[in-house]
Amino acid sequence: MSAPTTRPPQPAQRANGTSAGAASAKAPSVQPRTVAPHQLTGAQAVIRALEELDVDVIFGIPGGAVLPVYDPLFDSVKLRHVLVRHEQGAGHAASGYAHATGKVGVMMATSGPGATNLVTPLADAQMDSIPVVAITGQVGRALIGTDAFQEADISGITMPITKHNFLVRNGDEIAQVMAEAFHIARSGRPGAVLVDIPKDVLQAQCTFSWPPQIDLPGYKPNTKPHSRQVREAAKLIAAARKPVLYVGGGIIRGEASAELLDLAELTGIPVVTTLMARGAFPDSHPQNLGMPGMHGTVAAVAALQKSDLLIALGTRFDDRVTGQLSSFAPEAKVIHADIDPAEIGKNRNADVPIVGDVKNVITDLLEALRKDGTTAANLDLDEWWKYLSNVRETYPLSYGPQSDGSLSPEFVIEKLGQIAGPDAVYVAGVGQHQMWAAQFIKYENPKTWLNSGGLGTMGYAVPAAMGAKFGRPEAEVWAIDGDGCFQMTNQELATCAVEGAPIKVALINNGNLGMVRQWQTLFYGERYSQTDLSTHSHRIPDFLKLAEALGCVGLRCERAEDVEDVINQARAINDRPVVIDFIVGADAQVWPMVAAGMSNDEIQAARGIRPLFDDQGNEGHA
């Protein structure tokens, strides 16, 4: 049976050329419109609440329990629904939209398997502090707990991986719950919130009014830092001789990049930007030492290890940054500023803990430093910079040719960054290509680098890039994906083709699960168990044919001399998605590297080359 005829896809761009998300994000703050109490169905109340909350796009798939919501959605002139091909795609698209725009991303699914397919993107968004709200249908209240068809306790399942979740039992609560869900998702430390609504609540009549009273006892994020703690931090900075600004993704979530730049330039202190903070501080700035951690630059790792003061801003001392925690930055005192008090002292004791919004923290810290006359001119960091500059010059990020003469993946990604430039949005999957994209593309602006940092979710790139494109249709959006990740969620390219989201995919096809193969090379005696994907040996699948079948243009590149031309071909196509199948060598490895569980002192700049950092800052080879 053919599907009933529905309205054609709504345009992804408004008449004035700006996205709905961009327009509302830039609009001046206004008082919410008052809606007098009146009767609606629960489903109508959900749609009205989303409209009042200035939502412009929802990513989802209808199904039995949530179907009542899709009926009033059909009549909404404010809401665009993007019909994805898998609920996981809806979740990552909502996350990509939220990350690229700063607004709350919205996903919707039915009960049971529809809801459980959102578990991974919810956990992913929560780990990376991305504001998203999931709306799920649930079986009727009388059926809850009976193992009814397509029943799953999604509230219980997601409790450990969301910031908060709701099970709505009364339709009169819908307006308040929706407002509270969005408030929780975007305030304080952003995160994932789930709203689960039984089908009979959606079908029954309820009273709707707006704006509702938000009543969240105990939830009062502390945004204003304590002045005494800020003064103590200023004193430590004035006394430090080897300080480092250790910057995390909280700078981007808190929109504090401009304040960070002011702080860095006032003090002359070196800056390291974590994987989630790429773009928070310009790569072109001479004080930027790059990314620290497992695959960070040697200079960034050395800066942390040899520091006498870590100024940690919106970061959580993740194990991929610290390596072996007991040997991390052993001589450093710590100023730790974060809006989430649970992060402070969790992994590393803070000498000066500061709870507050990171923009407010930096603003107050700048004021305290200026009042005390603490500037780059009197901090005496010459020896510290001499040491770090020597390390940076001795161990720059680099790569060599492939041993078999094949195309170098690092070259492809570096060239893509040079051609597309710093105004493009880059979205990576997880694995070697993610690390190369973090290393070899130069990021100048926040919200131009999207990836799955905390959870490390393969399959993130394509749907997240789709979400970013819906949020910022004027931007050039590139998904940098691996042949393993790509095969998990490439069906969303069909969504992109149908719904008008012409993203571009740089598929780094090395024929293998690359990062796993690298570990097997280094730690398992080159015993390559279950990492060959057959995309090289048998060309299964043929990514060009697959791209075309999904409504995209497919291109292939196997030679370095063709890379620039094929990227430009892709950039010239803007009426449909483009997939470039870059056939690259299977043996390329990500360097530098700190092996899991090892001390950062054991960093290797390349295989067999280990920098030695003694107390005088001398380097050598092991």
Side-chain angles (χ1 to χ4, degrees):
M1 182 181 293
S2 62
T5 302
T6 61
R7 296 175 299 167
Q10 300 170 38
Q13 198 161 317
R14 292 185 171 182
N16 63 4
T18 62
S19 71
S24 60
K26 294 176 181 178
S29 176
V30 295
Q31 291 297 318
R33 189 169 66 93
T34 300
V35 179
H38 60 290
Q39 291 293 299
L40 295 175
T41 66
Q44 290 171 329
V46 171
I47 296 302
R48 284 296 300 277
L50 290 172
E51 291 174 340
E52 296 295 339
L53 288 161
D54 291 327
V55 173
D56 48 36
V57 62
I58 303 167
F59 303 93
I61 300 179
V66 80
L67 198 56
V69 179
Y70 278 81
D71 187 60
L73 175 62
F74 186 81
D75 297 320
S76 176
V77 296
K78 292 184 178 180
L79 298 175
R80 177 178 186 178
H81 182 275
V82 175
L83 178 61
V84 297
R85 300 314 187 250
H86 191 286
E87 290 89 356
Q88 184 175 351
H92 292 317
S95 183
Y97 170 93
H99 196 158
T101 65
K103 296 183 66 179
V104 177
V106 182
M107 62 192 86
M108 191 153 64
T110 194
S111 62
T116 58
N117 280 341
L118 296 179
V119 168
T120 295
L122 285 171
D124 185 272
Q126 179 68 8
M127 285 281 277
D128 288 344
S129 304
I130 305 295
V132 297
V133 170
I135 301 166
T136 54
Q138 182 55 274
V139 299
R141 286 171 293 182
L143 295 174
I144 292 176
T146 69
D147 291 335
F149 177 67
Q150 289 192 335
E151 180 190 359
D153 178 13
I154 196 63
S155 296
I157 290 168
T158 60
M159 190 173 292
I161 58 165
T162 53
K163 187 175 178 184
H164 192 66
N165 61 41
F166 299 87
L167 173 60
V168 179
R169 297 183 179 273
N170 186 324
D172 292 346
E173 301 172 355
I174 287 175
Q176 180 177 347
V177 166
M178 293 295 291
E180 289 176 348
F182 275 69
H183 174 70
I184 292 169
R186 63 188 165 208
S187 62
R189 179 180 179 176
V193 179
L194 179 133
V195 179
D196 194 33
I197 313 175
K199 185 174 184 178
D200 62 320
V201 174
L202 293 171
Q203 293 172 320
Q205 292 289 307
C206 69
T207 301
F208 180 88
S209 62
W210 199 270
Q213 182 70 37
I214 293 179
D215 182 24
L216 296 166
Y219 181 69
K220 293 180 176 61
N222 182 29
T223 61
K224 184 65 177 172
H226 196 289
S227 59
R228 184 179 64 186
Q229 298 302 93
V230 172
R231 290 195 301 271
E232 289 299 317
K235 289 178 183 177
L236 282 185
I237 292 171
R241 292 296 172 263
K242 296 187 290 182
V244 178
L245 286 162
Y246 162 31
V247 173
I251 292 289
I252 295 175
R253 306 293 171 270
E255 299 187 341
S257 293
E259 289 76 12
L260 172 65
L261 182 63
D262 288 345
L263 178 61
E265 293 187 338
L266 174 69
T267 60
I269 295 173
V271 179
V272 301
T273 53
T274 68
L275 179 66
M276 296 307 300
R278 305 292 288 119
F281 189 77
D283 276 351
S284 60
H285 199 287
Q287 287 172 238
N288 194 336
L289 297 179
M291 181 176 73
M294 176 175 277
H295 293 295
T297 67
V298 176
V301 172
L304 294 178
Q305 285 302 97
K306 291 300 178 182
S307 174
D308 65 3
L309 178 64
L310 300 182
I311 307 160
L313 302 171
T315 190
R316 59 189 181 87
F317 290 84
D318 175 71
D319 63 287
R320 283 299 192 260
V321 169
T322 66
Q324 184 186 67
L325 191 59
S326 60
S327 63
F328 174 67
E331 303 301 321
K333 291 184 177 180
V334 174
I335 300 166
H336 192 179
D338 202 288
I339 198 161
D340 184 357
E343 287 298 342
I344 297 178
K346 185 178 79 174
N347 293 327
R348 173 67 178 257
N349 180 65
D351 297 275
V352 179
I354 306 176
V355 178
D357 177 84
V358 71
K359 180 182 284 191
N360 293 339
V361 171
I362 299 175
T363 299
D364 289 2
L365 187 56
L366 282 165
E367 183 180 343
L369 291 168
R370 289 182 175 124
K371 183 177 179 181
D372 294 342
T374 303
T375 67
N378 56 31
L379 273 179
D380 190 19
L381 304 182
D382 290 350
E383 287 300 313
W384 181 223
W385 269 113
K386 180 180 178 182
Y387 166 76
L388 294 174
S389 297
N390 188 22
V391 176
R392 179 159 55 183
E393 292 165 10
T394 304
Y395 300 105
L397 281 175
S398 62
Y399 55 89
Q402 294 292 285
S403 58
D404 60 358
S406 56
L407 184 58
S408 165
E410 302 99 324
F411 174 78
V412 170
I413 292 171
E414 184 176 49
K415 185 61 68 174
L416 171 61
Q418 291 169 353
I419 295 171
D423 292 328
V425 175
Y426 302 93
V427 189
V430 168
Q432 288 182 312
H433 62 280
Q434 174 192 27
M435 294 297 104
W436 289 321
Q439 291 175 332
F440 292 106
I441 293 175
K442 301 303 180 185
Y443 300 96
E444 298 295 310
N445 307 303
K447 300 177 185 175
T448 55
W449 162 246
L450 283 61
N451 79 123
S452 172
L455 198 63
T457 305
M458 292 180 67
Y460 171 88
V462 169
M466 175 176 69
K469 186 64 175 177
F470 279 113
R472 295 180 55 191
E474 79 291 347
E476 183 175 330
V477 179
W478 282 88
I480 300 171
D481 220 357
D483 45 328
C485 288
F486 184 69
Q487 293 187 75
M488 293 189 175
T489 53
N490 61 53
Q491 69 273 4
E492 298 309 335
L493 285 173
T495 311
C496 292
V498 170
E499 297 281 352
I503 68 170
K504 307 177 195 307
V505 180
L507 180 55
I508 309 302
N509 179 1
N510 64 3
N512 286 270
L513 297 172
M515 190 63 87
V516 182
R517 179 184 170 91
Q518 175 167 336
W519 282 47
Q520 288 173 336
T521 299
L522 298 175
F523 309 122
Y524 292 89
E526 300 184 5
R527 290 163 56 84
Y528 298 121
S529 174
Q530 304 303 313
T531 47
D532 184 349
L533 291 169
S534 294
T535 54
H536 276 201
S537 55
H538 297 93
R539 199 156 278 179
I540 299 174
D542 183 323
F543 288 123
L544 261 65
K545 293 179 180 177
L546 179 61
E548 291 166 2
L550 292 170
C552 308
V553 174
L555 304 170
R556 180 170 285 137
C557 181
E558 301 186 52
R559 305 186 310 165
E561 55 265 39
D562 297 330
V563 168
E564 185 169 348
D565 179 61
V566 76
I567 290 172
N568 284 325
Q569 284 184 56
R571 297 188 73 210
I573 299 169
N574 290 300
D575 61 346
R576 70 195 74 180
V578 183
V579 177
I580 308 176
D581 183 16
F582 288 104
I583 308 296
V584 301
D587 291 321
Q589 295 185 346
V590 183
W591 299 100
M593 181 177 180
V594 179
M598 300 296 289
S599 168
N600 282 353
D601 289 328
E602 300 299 316
I603 187 172
Q604 288 183 270
R607 193 171 185 182
I609 301 176
R610 182 172 69 85
L612 300 176
F613 309 122
D614 65 22
D615 290 337
Q616 286 73 48
N618 299 317
E619 292 81 33
H621 290 180

